Amino acid sequence: MVGEKEYDAIWFGGGAAGRFGAAFHKALGGRPLIVEEHHLGGECHVCRCAFENFFSDQASMAELMRLYSGKSWYPKIDLSNISAAKAAELYRKVGQRAFADTMKHQTEKQLGVEVAWGKGKIIDKNTVEVNGKLYKGKNLVIGTGSRATMPNIPGINLPGVMTYIDHPEMRKDPKKMVIIGGGKIGIGKAAMFAPFNIEVTVLEKYTCLPKWDRDIRNFIFRDFKRRGIKIYEGIDVKEINGKGKVESVVAQFNGETMEFPCDAVMVSIGLTPNSEPAIPLGVKIGKGNEIIIDDGCRTNIPGIYAVGDVAGPPYFMAIARKRGMIAAKNIAGEDAKMDYSFVPDHIYIPPLEATCVGLTEAEAREKYGDVVLIQVPWGPKPKDPKPEEYYPGFENQGLPVCGRMHTLNLLFFGQNRNGLVKAIVDPKSRQYVGFHSVADGAKTAFQYLSYLLKIGWTVDQMANLHEIFLNAEHFIQLSRLVAGQKELKGFAAQVYLEEDYFCR
Ligand code: COM
């Protein structure tokens, strides 16, 4: 049976890219149809952004209870029975459904975008079949997302091996978890599981968080060391062992074989685009399984677009949504282009978050020579100060981070756990070239900071903004403190005690 309408575009997949793209397309006056089997919003509310937000909030609670327990007026809190599986269960029962309803309501009712619910089959570039009905479209937009990349090693299919997709499905709390892969997913998961009394070890083949600023990396890994999260870099995982379920991970490290006993494994070595449904159309596929697109999200076949993760990195929701928007504009006859400059990045590391945009200090030094750092904390870092004790110079160690923990950090986070903020400035132009933070709540500002970087925002312009003090990222007030200087000096960097954060 052929539907009576011809749509301007069939959006194959209603994830972040397809949902936003179709909504934008409709707003532009087009006739979009989304084809979606499961939920609008894709994996976001099932196992990605929304779920991670919820789960890391739970992990933050647990970590803060541990930190504050018995201090000042806080009662002693017994955390021996806390459960990551229960947190996941709550989200499964309430959060997933609530988000799914919201997406559906917003898309279909509020925005009036049509959705054909069911498993779609692409017949040709103008025809998609759903539940035996044929839908016709002038254009086809593929937005089928990505999946976790799995290493081809023995034991990978054993029960107990998970990816981010299975995380909300946890039914039991593991005691020991090995995380394979120390990218932003793996490092985030490590910080999320550890507060639930799970012993976590991260095994990374190369370097953890290689693209992040050194100070941010140092902060995270120092904090991991203190919390007992072990990290191995340069380690090659060979197999996962177990009789009927995961019992250990075997790896080569410094020429030796090592075995890591565990009852759960989280695989986080990367993402693979789900380009398979589009292959019969003849679209070009890249080495990473991604559909190759131009900067207008067009594939090599006229009338076929690809948006979101299926078109390859950067794997970031804002990029997915924007690819949808750009495809919609181009279908509507514009000539719009993606702009991949100054894309921020973010990791939940409960109880804090790491966020960055622009150049790292090393990249900025290479490009601009000497750069100015506007940073707190700065100066020498005391070795393991105790909570609730005054240290001379402590004011310099304890400034940043508001949000969830607000000023409590200053008193309770003796071990310098209260985050850091760092702006990097080219002193000649007085323009910012990078912003970095470990904080709580600063990610909101980074959405706008990325735009300010793009337009060449200067220290002097920043000094003219209106801060609401206290705030999570401090860039306005810190910049104002130095903006009067004819020759910018900034605040010097943090002096780290030489420490080795990694297992050897
Ligand atoms: C968020 C998914 S839950 S989407 O980008 O709003 O569709």
Side-chain angles (χ1 to χ4, degrees), residues 281-323:
L281 293 164
V283 295
K284 268 199 194 134
I285 306 291
K287 283 203 188 83
N289 212 41
E290 78 282 12
I291 299 178
I292 294 180
I293 53 170
D294 67 9
D295 52 12
C297 299
R298 300 174 195 90
T299 67
N300 56 309
I301 299 186
I304 304 183
Y305 296 75
V307 294
D309 284 9
V310 76
Y315 298 118
F316 189 52
M317 193 206 261
I319 293 297
R321 289 172 168 176
K322 283 179 81 180
R323 280 180 175 159

Side-chain angles (χ1 to χ4, degrees), residues 168-188:
E169 296 303 319
M170 275 180 88
R171 297 297 201 269
K172 216 171 139 243
D173 279 79
K175 291 200 165 43
K176 287 187 186 191
M177 176 182 284
V178 168
I179 297 183
I180 303 177
K184 74 173 184 180
I185 297 179
I187 291 297

Side-chain angles (χ1 to χ4, degrees), residues 15-26:
R19 192 173 89 82
F20 269 74
F24 205 87
H25 186 193
K26 166 116 199 208

Side-chain angles (χ1 to χ4, degrees), residues 41 44 61 68 80 117 133 136 142 146-147 166 218 250 256 295 305 314-315 325 344 346 373 434 436 438 473 491 499:
C44 166
M61 292 278 186
Y68 295 175
S80 54
W117 288 98
K133 187 169 167 185
K136 289 284 185 185
I142 314 289
S146 63
R147 58 183 181 267
D166 313 299
N218 275 343
V250 177
E256 280 176 31
D295 52 12
Y305 296 75
Y315 298 118
M325 189 175 98
H346 173 261
L373 303 177
H436 304 266
V438 181
E473 86 300 320
F491 298 103
E499 260 187 83

Side-chain angles (χ1 to χ4, degrees), residues 369-390:
D370 211 11
V371 291
V372 164
L373 303 177
I374 298 174
Q375 173 168 343
V376 284
W378 60 279
K381 185 176 265 240
K383 188 163 176 55
D384 295 332
K386 311 255 174 327
E388 297 178 282
E389 277 184 29
Y390 177 75

